[in-house]
Amino acid sequence: MAAARLTSRDIRSESRLVVVRALLAAGGSTRNELAEATGLSLGTVSTIVQDLLKYEIIAETGPVHGGIGRPTTGLRLNADRGRVVGFYLEDRYLEATVFDAALGELSTVEATSEEPVEDADDVIEWIVGALDDALGKAKASREDILGVGILLPGGMQRPVKAETVPSAIWLHLDRLRDRLGLPVVVDNPLKAIATAQLWLGAGRRSANVVAVSLGIGVGAGIIQDGVVVRGATNAAGEWGHSLLAFEGRRCRCGRDGCVEAYVGLPGIQRTLAEIAPGHPLAGDRDDWTFASDLAAAVESGDPAAIATVERSAHYLGAALTDLVAILNPEVITLSGWADAPASRERVLPIVRQRVLADAPGDAAAGLAIEISPRCGMEGIAAIALERFMRDVGLVTTRVIPAL
Amino acid sequence: MAAARLTSRDIRSESRLVVVRALLAAGGSTRNELAEATGLSLGTVSTIVQDLLKYEIIAETGPVHGGIGRPTTGLRLNADRGRVVGFYLEDRYLEATVFDAALGELSTVEATSEEPVEDADDVIEWIVGALDDALGKAKASREDILGVGILLPGGMQRPVKAETVPSAIWLHLDRLRDRLGLPVVVDNPLKAIATAQLWLGAGRRSANVVAVSLGIGVGAGIIQDGVVVRGATNAAGEWGHSLLAFEGRRCRCGRDGCVEAYVGLPGIQRTLAEIAPGHPLAGDRDDWTFASDLAAAVESGDPAAIATVERSAHYLGAALTDLVAILNPEVITLSGWADAPASRERVLPIVRQRVLADAPGDAAAGLAIEISPRCGMEGIAAIALERFMRDVGLVTTRVIPAL
């Protein structure tokens, strides 16, 4: 479909989000400072502040004494406006995090299951249980909740297979919504990490950011011109399933040679197995403990572990160069396994050198590659907060992808 | 830098471009039809039509009799408002095309040189000569020209090396502008092919398009959400220098394993040389005649030529899958060597099959891959026309990348 046209009403809506994000970035601010930070006129900012005060999205903090003239009124996000809850689901693992309305984390709970949780009713009760646990830990109740966000991989189409956790949620979202009695938004994790950078990370200072997530799977959330790139069916960012090596290693997606088969954690184990067949850490473990075990081996001077990390850094640098060639970002953020001391010391220098050497022309000349702690959970909370602002009529433009 | 905020004035500016593009797409239209086609209100369309009539960008064509009610006034782009001229430059090759103000092609001239033209004065005089030839052929004069657009590869930074044609232009653009006495805009060819699709091609029906150009070099113009993706320094789209094969063939950019080293015309020659060493067409010819020679060999049943085309189609399909994974477009257009009967028959089916099989999840489920005749020359003419609309004050938002 063709791009929808913006109206003046949409502009006001976008500007409200801009002001909310600027206030979040500043912590506390004044109308004048917000006008300066956003480039909006003081009149526009004042109107927006009125709207946001009316719905208690923001609050006044009392007089602020500047250098000259009479004191102005301080403003901040109204953290106590309510709570938003983010969920991350796999078939044996569930995580729920409660945030306040200024995206401050209040509590997080994890639940694991010996057996995959696949039945829709079981999944729903699992979520409900985790929600109550997390709310209890945060001393909050369901009445406080402005919205719930769930991270689910994939595009907009619901999956055909019914026997996975994501499928159970996609196929039974209405039942989950009824059971919770709360607004529920579902989005793709890559869109969530891009949104987290937009609200809380590199997106505050740059309009062109790629947020790379490195775990068992790998992917990229893309911000172009200050907007999260979603693609035609919300499936953009699957850089992990772009090619590193034609007819290379078989990826779990079924394609041969994907980036993920080299820089996802199981891929790094395969590199170790190539370098040192029979190494105690080599194998195909589908969990995060490999990352810390490998870091410990590097720390102890294990040459195979060191060679593995270095070769993986070359793979990562090559794969990031592709993002630079295609998207020409100003900032690339790395989260996941890159956010560890061993990685900062050994991986980042190789990655930076490789990208600078291989990127076409001057595409990487002004590029920053940095570690970021921002995660998809914060992004889905921000998306749930956007959704709440839409429900009260403050935001008109954002199309919340799932249902 | 962070994304600039839109104002109501910018919205009007964007809406004017939307109306101009809708009118171009429709050929002729009425205010009512334009409102329907663009999603803008009839009142907004009427205001915009007044603005565009005032500056003679569009013209009235007389009464149109619809089904019921009184006749309304027909509208069209005012082709005779003036002329725009596009240039494509290499160090031994120059092409100039004159368009009317409705982007209809009026004349085109080519000039070649035995020796590379490198001196800035020589380049400028070469351009001036081609301009006069092209204008003569189009029965136009310099007074008719609204703007000149030049396709130059690379990002926003001027190149350091001075001894290439693009560098000569980058470094001496002010002199060229003085010599011509005309408004000159310079842009990257990949942005121009994206713009051509936006104004004249798949961008008319889809907001998410990747326009792939296949020649000696290869690249991708990207449209996301109805906007041409430029990246931080206007260098986005260099898909030709993303990886096909880690540590694969050396590319002319210096990197190993680039897409271009496999699906650019010299890359296809290398594939032929791998399949049939000593084949008369194998080599490293840096020109377009190889494409027609190869097509003729395929036509004559040459097994090595057929195998080369088929293997190249697999490479192309793999490389396009990466664009699908990262950008999730609704349409991919192919121009250049793909736009030939042999390619349509033998390349496209393999490419489509490969993309559908290898793209992650359902990212390619609704994807169209199609041949398009749209070219960068049309895009740079559209950019020059946008620039003219900016000069008269009708467009405020577009930042013309070069100077």
Side-chain angles (χ1 to χ4, degrees):
Chain A
M1 67 183 181
R5 305 267 60 88
L6 286 178
T7 65
S8 302
R9 183 159 166 263
D10 297 331
I11 295 269
R12 275 199 304 277
S13 151
E14 283 299 295
S15 299
R16 287 182 189 127
L17 281 171
V18 166
V19 167
V20 166
R21 294 208 298 258
L23 204 45
L24 181 61
S29 196
T30 66
R31 288 167 178 79
N32 274 308
E33 288 164 357
L34 285 170
E36 196 166 329
T38 60
L40 296 167
S41 72
L42 184 58
T44 301
V45 167
S46 296
T47 306
I48 288 172
V49 163
Q50 278 317 110
D51 297 339
L52 296 172
L53 283 170
K54 179 178 163 196
Y55 288 96
E56 301 176 55
I57 305 290
I58 66 175
E60 293 183 335
T61 57
V64 175
H65 296 272
I68 39 168
R70 63 191 177 89
T72 54
T73 308
L75 299 166
R76 59 169 170 75
L77 282 196
N78 181 11
D80 291 332
R81 179 67 178 83
R83 303 291 176 250
V84 289
V85 187
F87 285 92
Y88 174 79
L89 271 142
E90 290 174 4
D91 57 359
R92 296 160 200 257
Y93 179 78
L94 171 62
E95 192 180 322
T97 302
V98 179
F99 295 86
D100 64 34
L103 299 184
E105 189 179 318
L106 299 177
S107 71
T108 187
V109 299
E110 296 175 312
T112 53
S113 167
E114 290 289 309
E115 296 299 310
V117 182
E118 286 168 353
D119 176 75
D121 285 320
D122 293 346
V123 173
I124 289 172
E125 293 313 313
W126 209 26
I127 289 175
V128 169
L131 175 65
D132 289 338
D133 288 352
L135 287 175
K137 229 173 135 184
K139 300 192 186 358
S141 69
R142 288 212 200 174
E143 288 70 45
D144 301 324
I145 298 179
L146 307 178
V148 168
I150 302 180
L151 293 168
L152 282 182
M156 287 285 291
Q157 279 84 13
R158 296 175 179 215
V160 183
K161 290 199 300 179
E163 67 273 27
T164 65
V165 165
S167 298
I169 295 299
W170 275 117
L171 294 171
H172 301 287
L173 195 55
D174 290 342
R175 278 168 64 194
L176 174 64
R177 205 170 263 138
D178 285 348
R179 179 72 177 80
L180 291 175
L182 292 168
V184 175
V185 59
V186 176
D187 209 340
N188 174 309
L190 298 174
K191 308 312 172 296
I193 63 166
T195 304
Q197 289 297 337
L198 194 61
W199 284 66
L200 299 160
R204 289 176 169 181
R205 62 177 208 272
S206 172
N208 293 286
V209 176
V210 178
V212 168
S213 171
L214 300 167
I216 291 163
V218 306
I222 304 165
I223 302 172
Q224 268 281 337
D225 258 347
V227 175
V228 174
V229 169
R230 292 186 171 275
T233 61
N234 205 31
E238 292 290 350
W239 160 78
H241 302 292
S242 71
L243 273 190
L244 184 83
F246 189 78
E247 296 180 348
R249 292 181 187 168
R250 171 62 48 101
C251 180
R252 60 180 176 149
C253 77
R255 191 181 190 196
D256 292 333
C258 288
V259 165
E260 184 167 300
Y262 294 83
V263 302
L265 287 173
I268 298 173
Q269 290 171 59
R270 287 163 75 177
T271 300
L272 175 58
E274 283 177 10
I275 288 172
H279 191 285
L281 292 180
D284 198 18
R285 274 192 293 165
D286 204 21
D287 65 43
W288 276 85
T289 56
F290 171 74
S292 45
D293 291 348
L294 183 66
V298 166
E299 201 61 29
S300 75
D302 177 338
I306 292 169
T308 297
V309 166
E310 289 179 353
R311 193 184 295 174
S312 300
H314 279 286
Y315 290 145
L316 179 59
L320 293 180
T321 303
D322 289 0
L323 291 174
V324 173
I326 293 169
L327 296 167
N328 182 213
E330 191 174 23
V331 184
I332 292 179
T333 63
L334 306 176
S335 61
W337 63 251
D339 189 6
S343 151
R344 281 174 196 271
E345 284 160 28
R346 291 184 182 269
V347 175
L348 264 192
I350 295 173
V351 163
R352 288 192 176 117
Q353 190 181 16
R354 178 115 207 180
V355 171
L356 211 53
D358 283 357
D362 54 16
L367 174 72
I369 301 178
E370 55 195 41
I371 306 292
S372 169
R374 302 272 75 89
C375 66
M377 202 64 108
E378 295 169 309
I380 195 74
I383 291 168
L385 199 59
E386 268 189 27
R387 166 66 178 257
F388 170 72
M389 288 178 66
R390 197 182 70 158
D391 290 345
V392 300
L394 285 168
V395 170
T396 57
T397 39
R398 299 301 167 116
V399 179
I400 301 298
L403 312 172
Chain B
M1 68 184 183
R5 304 267 59 88
L6 286 178
T7 65
S8 301
R9 185 159 164 261
D10 297 332
I11 293 273
R12 274 199 303 278
S13 151
E14 283 299 293
S15 298
R16 286 183 190 124
L17 282 171
V18 166
V19 168
V20 166
R21 294 209 298 258
L23 204 44
L24 181 61
S29 196
T30 66
R31 288 167 178 79
N32 275 309
E33 288 164 357
L34 285 171
E36 194 166 331
T38 60
L40 295 167
S41 73
L42 184 58
T44 301
V45 167
S46 297
T47 306
I48 288 172
V49 162
Q50 278 317 110
D51 297 339
L52 296 172
L53 283 170
K54 179 179 162 196
Y55 288 96
E56 301 176 53
I57 306 289
I58 67 175
E60 293 183 334
T61 56
V64 175
H65 296 272
I68 39 169
R70 63 192 178 88
T72 54
T73 308
L75 299 166
R76 59 169 170 75
L77 282 196
N78 181 10
D80 291 332
R81 179 66 178 83
R83 304 290 176 249
V84 289
V85 187
F87 284 93
Y88 174 78
L89 271 140
E90 291 174 4
D91 57 359
R92 297 159 199 257
Y93 179 79
L94 171 62
E95 194 180 322
T97 302
V98 179
F99 296 86
D100 64 34
L103 299 183
E105 189 179 318
L106 298 179
S107 71
T108 187
V109 300
E110 296 175 312
T112 53
S113 168
E114 289 288 310
E115 295 300 311
V117 182
E118 286 167 354
D119 176 74
D121 285 319
D122 293 345
V123 173
I124 289 172
E125 292 313 313
W126 209 25
I127 290 176
V128 169
L131 175 65
D132 288 337
D133 288 351
L135 287 174
K137 227 173 137 183
K139 300 191 188 356
S141 70
R142 288 211 200 173
E143 289 68 46
D144 302 324
I145 297 178
L146 308 178
V148 168
I150 303 180
L151 293 168
L152 282 182
M156 288 284 290
Q157 280 84 13
R158 295 173 180 216
V160 183
K161 291 198 300 178
E163 67 272 26
T164 65
V165 166
S167 297
I169 295 300
W170 276 117
L171 295 172
H172 302 286
L173 196 53
D174 290 340
R175 277 168 64 195
L176 175 64
R177 205 170 263 140
D178 286 348
R179 179 71 177 82
L180 291 175
L182 293 168
V184 175
V185 58
V186 175
D187 208 340
N188 174 309
L190 298 175
K191 309 312 171 298
I193 63 165
T195 304
Q197 289 296 336
L198 194 61
W199 284 66
L200 299 161
R204 289 176 168 180
R205 61 177 209 272
S206 172
N208 293 285
V209 176
V210 177
V212 168
S213 170
L214 300 167
I216 291 163
V218 307
I222 303 166
I223 303 172
Q224 268 280 336
D225 256 347
V227 176
V228 174
V229 169
R230 293 187 171 276
T233 61
N234 205 31
E238 292 291 350
W239 160 78
H241 301 292
S242 71
L243 273 190
L244 185 83
F246 188 79
E247 296 179 350
R249 292 181 187 168
R250 172 61 49 100
C251 180
R252 60 180 177 150
C253 76
R255 190 182 191 194
D256 292 332
C258 288
V259 165
E260 183 168 301
Y262 296 82
V263 303
L265 287 173
I268 298 173
Q269 289 171 59
R270 288 162 76 177
T271 301
L272 175 58
E274 282 177 10
I275 288 172
H279 191 285
L281 292 181
D284 199 17
R285 275 190 293 165
D286 206 21
D287 64 41
W288 275 85
T289 55
F290 171 74
S292 45
D293 291 348
L294 183 67
V298 166
E299 201 62 27
S300 75
D302 177 338
I306 292 169
T308 297
V309 167
E310 289 179 353
R311 194 185 293 175
S312 300
H314 279 286
Y315 291 145
L316 179 59
L320 293 180
T321 303
D322 289 0
L323 290 175
V324 173
I326 293 169
L327 296 168
N328 183 212
E330 191 174 23
V331 183
I332 292 179
T333 63
L334 306 177
S335 62
W337 64 250
D339 189 6
S343 152
R344 283 173 195 270
E345 285 160 26
R346 292 184 184 267
V347 175
L348 263 192
I350 295 172
V351 164
R352 288 192 176 119
Q353 189 182 18
R354 178 115 206 179
V355 172
L356 211 53
D358 283 355
D362 54 17
L367 174 71
I369 301 178
E370 55 196 40
I371 306 291
S372 169
R374 302 271 75 88
C375 65
M377 202 65 106
E378 295 169 310
I380 195 74
I383 292 168
L385 199 58
E386 269 189 26
R387 166 65 178 257
F388 170 73
M389 288 178 65
R390 198 182 68 157
D391 290 346
V392 300
L394 287 169
V395 170
T396 57
T397 40
R398 298 302 166 116
V399 178
I400 300 297
L403 315 170

